[in-house]
Amino acid sequence: MGARAAQAILALAPGEARQVGPLAALLETKEGGQLFIQGWATHSWGLGDQAGRRLAAVQLLQSGAAKVAEVAEGFDTTTVTVWRWQRAYAEDAVAGLLPRQHGPKRASKVTEKVAGQILALNREGKNQRQIADQVGLSVTTVRRVLGLTGPAVRLAAAEPVERQEEDSAEPLVAVAPPAPRTEERRAARAGVLVEAEPVFTEGAELPLLGLLLALPALAATGLLEEASDLFGQLRNGFYGLRASLLTFFFLALIREPRAEGATRIVPADLGRVLALDRAPEVKTLRRKLAEMGGLKLGSQLMGRLAHRHAQAHPEAMGYLYIDGHVRVYNGKRALPKAHSTRLRIAMPATHETWVGDANGDPVLVVIAPLQTSMVDELRELLPELRRLVGDRRLTICFDRGGWSPQFFAEIVAAGFDFLTYRKSPLRSEPKRSFTEHQLERDGVVHSYSLADRWVRLRLSQRHKGEPKTLRVRQVTRLTPDGHQTPILTSHSDLAAAEVAYRMFARWRQENYFKYGRQHFALDALDTYAAVVDDPTRLVPNPARKKLARRLARARLGLVEAQAAYGAAAVGNQEAQRPTMRGFKIANAAAGQEVSKAQKVLRSLEAERDHTPNKVPLAQVRPEARLLETERKLLTHAVRMSAYNSESALARLLGPLYARSADEGRALLREAFRAAGDLRCANGQLEVCLNPLSAPRRTRALAALCELLNDTETTYPGTELVLHYSVKDHSSLTSTAPLCQ
């Protein structure tokens, strides 16, 4: 029997078609597109028929032939866009899939006559708000006429234009230079300009446009709103409070947080983001910072931001972590010294007390005198923390620096709970007391070997009738190497694993200090200004320290003289006789040395007893200085807002990016420096960013933009609503319109 010829299996779709899931294939040509399901052509649409193309994607998804991610990849879009198509189809059927109409919907109010009137009023020196009120238009329209007079007049004289396709929009100029605002700067030099109003420069491929991503998170911190309410209006000039704070905020996001960082950024690039022709210079930033610092409202601003943070994140305010931070000073001024745990040396420094929430985000910072103990700082913070959280139960977490059983009793009496390490020496827990505990947080399982029991701490009974002891709970952790870490808390309702987890979460605050030093110049010297230290402040007496050294040497001399006297008594031949007369004669000199050493020691002890432990600073260091704190509090407030804004965006990015725990902040740092296109249209400020370094990052950023668009945040000082989008990787090399 002859061999049979095997027939090749026919393909279920053309060879150039893209596979969409296991059952479907998509073929797109210059004439349009077709969708095949198991070899059957189920959908077909012509070139430019966006509604038909979107309908095919939605019905493919509804039929179950492909998943959302497969449809998004096959139709070269994002999953968020596919979900948006599906929602629009469910609400308005096919009509919801039609592309939105862009451009003006009616004849423009800006006729040639109105445009001429606007230009004439501008030459008279009136600001844009006054011009808008007089001609009956919005400030945005007036700005557009002043910045783009020719196109605006031509558009008004022509018939109403209806843009049927997005391709009909006027092309943007690549890296458009901002128009010089010479007249306003002249008015600023004359002292008649209150503040330059924001005017945007439209254009394509504008650098640093990704900084605008942080504005919704900045609005949640309340920095601009609270600062405007506190400081009011700065002195007349081109750069006002809004521009100054935004400049510091944007510089912090691109890791140039100091005023000197403005020298490393192209002024026009940062100026476009600020809606100005160029960013302020270093001397201007320093002058504005000095002006705000002179009002001495830094502590009030910090308190207001803390209250805004508590309102925005109530779930993170149940546990507050308090820790001291030593900011080392390396200059030439005579500053008091403090011990730096990180550097393991005493150096001139400024001491700060930081308060962080359960997420590790900073909430409040207080600059305290160096000689203030941790217990005193915590005691002074209690009223502020009570105002911060209201009547809710609050747990204060701190390290061994705040150890004081008497203060623990004060915390409990004030309606707080505490969580800290045990400091005093104690016996180790027996191995049989430890049991294994597990706790799951954020998808991570934490395992501990813990011993749990109640103990009593002895109190100093100051008044009759006060309790002598305080009953607290002790949870001890056993590590694999046998080390035991005892934790004390007033909580009786928490599981032992929860107590250990909350205590060890204190390292989030240490991580913030490290991250802040590296990225936000936490320890930077933002001003060279110094103030005279309080001359009446009591400081350790250096004479007492010298006496202590002399006493140590005297005691050592006495011990050596007594040793020599004893050695002479043992080895002297006269000691063998029935009497000691000969020994005393032979060792008279050694006995005199002992007597002399005892006399010197008694004299030094008497002098020490009459020497005070502390004396006024004026007697010790009359030239002592302290670093000026108001400007540092202001920069702390701005950088805290920048860090918290970045943290808020990172948390939004968590569900959208699989590697957000490791790369989330790195992705945001790249996004902040991304270039893009900027356009003002229909009351919106359209920000279309370039793709990032990897497609997965670009998809995550696109999904983040969708979430930010839902906030409908307006650009500070304007009524323009921010709208974000991201270009596809393929759009950079194709002739297709960008940012659809």
Side-chain angles (χ1 to χ4, degrees):
M1 191 169 69
R4 297 181 180 180
Q7 182 177 357
I9 300 176
L10 297 178
L12 296 180
E16 59 271 20
R18 289 197 303 270
Q19 196 70 23
V20 184
L23 303 178
L26 175 65
L27 175 65
E28 289 188 299
T29 62
K30 296 181 179 180
E31 289 77 19
Q34 284 183 302
L35 180 66
F36 297 87
I37 299 181
Q38 291 188 338
W40 294 88
T42 58
H43 294 79
S44 178
W45 57 91
L47 182 65
D49 185 7
Q50 296 186 32
R53 186 175 184 270
R54 295 171 181 176
L55 178 63
V58 172
Q59 292 188 345
L60 176 63
L61 184 63
Q62 291 181 341
S63 66
K67 298 180 180 179
V68 174
E70 296 170 343
V71 172
E73 183 179 0
F75 281 78
D76 196 18
T77 185
T78 64
T79 56
V80 177
T81 303
V82 175
W83 287 331
R84 188 169 62 246
W85 292 348
Q86 190 177 17
R87 184 171 63 250
Y89 181 74
E91 293 176 354
D92 298 325
V94 179
L97 300 177
L98 294 173
R100 290 181 299 175
Q101 185 176 0
H102 294 267
K105 308 299 187 297
R106 54 178 173 77
S108 175
K109 294 181 181 180
V110 186
T111 61
E112 292 182 352
K113 180 179 179 181
V114 173
Q117 185 180 1
I118 292 174
L119 295 175
L121 293 174
N122 182 58
R123 285 192 293 269
E124 293 176 5
K126 294 188 176 182
N127 60 37
Q128 297 172 5
R129 174 65 65 183
Q130 294 172 338
I131 297 174
D133 295 338
Q134 187 163 342
V135 300
L137 296 176
S138 66
V139 177
T140 303
T141 305
V142 172
R143 293 173 188 148
R144 189 177 297 114
V145 173
L146 293 177
L148 302 170
T149 306
V153 175
R154 289 196 298 271
L155 183 62
E159 292 295 327
V161 178
E162 294 186 1
R163 297 175 181 169
Q164 299 296 334
E165 297 293 335
E166 294 181 354
D167 296 350
S168 63
E170 294 184 6
L172 297 173
V173 179
V175 196
R181 302 173 67 170
T182 308
E183 295 297 330
E184 291 176 89
R185 292 188 177 274
R186 289 176 181 172
R189 284 194 293 270
V192 297
L193 180 66
V194 176
E195 179 181 1
E197 296 187 1
V199 178
F200 288 97
T201 301
E202 298 183 341
E205 299 299 322
L206 303 181
L208 300 180
L209 207 61
L211 288 171
L212 298 178
L213 289 168
L215 290 182
L218 174 64
T221 65
L223 174 64
L224 297 180
E225 182 179 348
E226 297 296 343
S228 177
D229 188 36
L230 267 180
F231 297 103
Q233 181 179 297
L234 300 182
R235 288 181 301 192
N236 288 359
F238 188 83
Y239 299 103
L241 180 66
R242 179 198 65 86
S244 302
L245 291 179
L246 279 180
T247 301
F248 280 113
F249 178 77
F250 288 148
L251 287 176
L253 291 180
I254 56 178
R255 291 350 187 221
E256 296 289 353
R258 302 180 64 191
E260 291 78 3
T263 61
R264 292 180 282 274
I265 306 298
V266 178
D269 294 347
L270 188 56
R272 294 188 194 91
V273 182
L274 295 170
L276 301 172
D277 54 349
R278 65 176 183 267
E281 298 179 359
V282 175
K283 62 180 181 180
T284 304
L285 292 175
R286 287 178 175 170
R287 187 170 62 250
K288 295 297 181 181
L289 187 60
E291 181 182 352
M292 289 185 286
L295 299 177
K296 299 187 182 303
L297 297 173
S299 298
Q300 295 187 35
L301 177 62
M302 192 67 67
R304 291 194 176 198
L305 293 181
H307 281 271
R308 291 290 292 261
H309 187 93
Q311 295 173 1
H313 306 280
E315 75 287 348
M317 298 298 292
Y319 291 84
L320 291 184
Y321 296 87
I322 304 177
D323 195 8
H325 176 68
V326 176
R327 182 162 56 93
V328 175
Y329 170 75
N330 295 300
K332 298 181 180 180
R333 298 186 184 274
L335 262 63
K337 292 185 177 182
H339 179 76
S340 173
T341 306
R342 179 172 60 91
L343 300 177
R344 299 182 180 180
I345 191 174
M347 298 181 65
T350 300
H351 190 265
E352 300 170 346
T353 303
W354 286 79
V355 180
D357 63 10
N359 296 326
D361 296 338
V363 177
L364 181 68
V365 60
V366 177
I367 299 179
L370 283 176
Q371 282 71 28
T372 305
S373 66
M374 185 68 174
V375 174
D376 293 335
E377 296 172 19
L378 291 171
R379 186 177 286 113
E380 292 180 2
L381 274 175
L382 288 183
E384 178 63 27
L385 298 181
R386 175 53 65 197
R387 289 191 295 269
L388 196 63
V389 300
D391 297 332
R392 66 182 295 182
R393 192 76 177 181
L394 172 65
T395 302
I396 305 174
C397 309
F398 47 90
D399 61 9
R400 294 179 179 89
W403 173 266
S404 171
Q406 194 68 35
F407 179 59
F408 298 162
E410 296 178 20
I411 293 177
V412 175
F416 296 95
D417 287 307
F418 69 90
L419 191 61
T420 186
Y421 296 112
R422 184 158 188 173
K423 184 177 181 180
S424 57
L426 72 161
R427 292 180 299 176
S428 300
E429 296 289 330
K431 294 293 183 65
R432 62 177 181 275
S433 302
F434 292 91
T435 56
E436 295 298 323
H437 298 261
Q438 288 188 342
L439 181 71
E440 182 179 357
R441 285 290 183 272
D442 301 326
V444 179
V445 178
H446 303 271
S447 300
Y448 307 102
S449 180
L450 304 174
D452 190 359
R453 67 186 180 94
W454 288 85
V455 298
R456 287 193 175 274
L457 303 178
R458 186 178 298 278
L459 303 178
S460 57
Q461 195 176 18
R462 300 177 181 177
H463 302 286
K464 188 176 181 180
E466 290 184 349
K468 297 181 180 180
T469 60
L470 175 67
R471 187 171 181 265
V472 296
R473 185 180 176 194
Q474 177 176 300
V475 177
T476 306
R477 181 195 182 188
L478 177 66
T479 58
D481 60 356
H483 179 72
Q484 295 187 10
T485 305
I487 304 170
L488 291 184
T489 181
S490 57
H491 269 292
S492 60
D493 54 342
L494 288 183
E498 182 78 16
V499 172
Y501 172 79
R502 293 294 182 181
M503 188 69 245
F504 298 137
R506 194 190 67 83
W507 283 99
R508 293 178 179 177
Q509 197 170 32
E510 299 291 346
N511 293 337
Y512 164 71
F513 292 152
K514 181 180 179 180
Y515 191 83
R517 284 193 300 269
Q518 293 177 349
H519 295 274
F520 292 101
L522 180 67
D523 293 344
L525 187 65
D526 294 298
T527 175
Y528 297 100
V531 296
V532 178
D533 201 349
D534 182 10
T536 63
R537 180 168 62 87
L538 297 179
V539 296
N541 190 351
R544 183 106 178 172
K545 188 175 182 179
K546 294 179 181 178
L547 279 173
R549 288 197 294 266
R550 292 173 60 188
L551 273 169
R553 288 196 296 268
R555 292 191 182 99
L556 180 60
L558 177 60
V559 170
E560 291 176 350
Q562 289 174 341
Y565 190 34
V570 172
N572 197 291
Q573 294 180 356
E574 297 291 335
Q576 306 300 325
R577 297 186 179 185
T579 65
M580 292 291 292
R581 179 175 176 274
F583 168 75
K584 293 178 180 179
I585 294 174
N587 297 281
Q592 290 176 0
E593 290 296 329
V594 172
S595 300
K596 183 179 178 180
Q598 290 175 341
K599 184 178 179 180
V600 171
L601 183 60
R602 287 193 296 269
S603 175
L604 290 175
E605 289 177 344
E607 185 178 356
R608 181 199 60 186
D609 294 340
H610 290 85
T611 302
N613 288 328
K614 292 186 177 182
V615 294
L617 179 64
Q619 298 182 15
V620 181
R621 294 191 307 275
E623 75 287 353
R625 295 292 185 270
L626 292 176
L627 294 180
E628 195 264 347
T629 60
E630 286 295 324
R631 276 176 267 190
K632 189 60 182 179
L633 284 175
L634 293 175
T635 56
H636 273 329
V638 175
R639 292 165 191 171
M640 281 172 52
S641 299
Y643 177 85
N644 289 338
S645 299
E646 184 181 289
S647 298
L649 294 178
R651 281 191 283 271
L652 287 178
L653 199 62
L656 309 175
Y657 190 54
R659 296 185 57 83
S660 61
D662 300 323
E663 300 179 2
R665 291 185 183 270
L667 187 152
L668 291 174
R669 291 196 295 269
E670 180 185 357
F672 291 148
R673 286 187 172 270
D677 303 344
L678 185 68
R679 186 190 297 273
C680 300
N682 302 324
Q684 287 187 338
L685 184 62
E686 299 177 358
V687 181
C688 186
L689 300 177
N690 287 350
L692 300 185
S693 57
R696 67 177 186 276
R697 289 193 169 193
T698 303
R699 289 192 294 268
L701 180 60
L704 178 63
C705 289
E706 293 290 339
L707 297 178
L708 296 179
N709 290 336
D710 294 338
T711 63
E712 297 184 352
T713 304
T714 59
Y715 188 92
T718 71
E719 298 177 356
L720 296 174
V721 179
L722 288 160
H723 184 273
Y724 305 96
S725 57
V726 182
K727 305 175 186 177
D728 293 332
H729 279 268
S730 59
S731 64
L732 295 180
T733 57
S734 67
T735 58
L738 304 183
C739 302
Q740 294 186 3

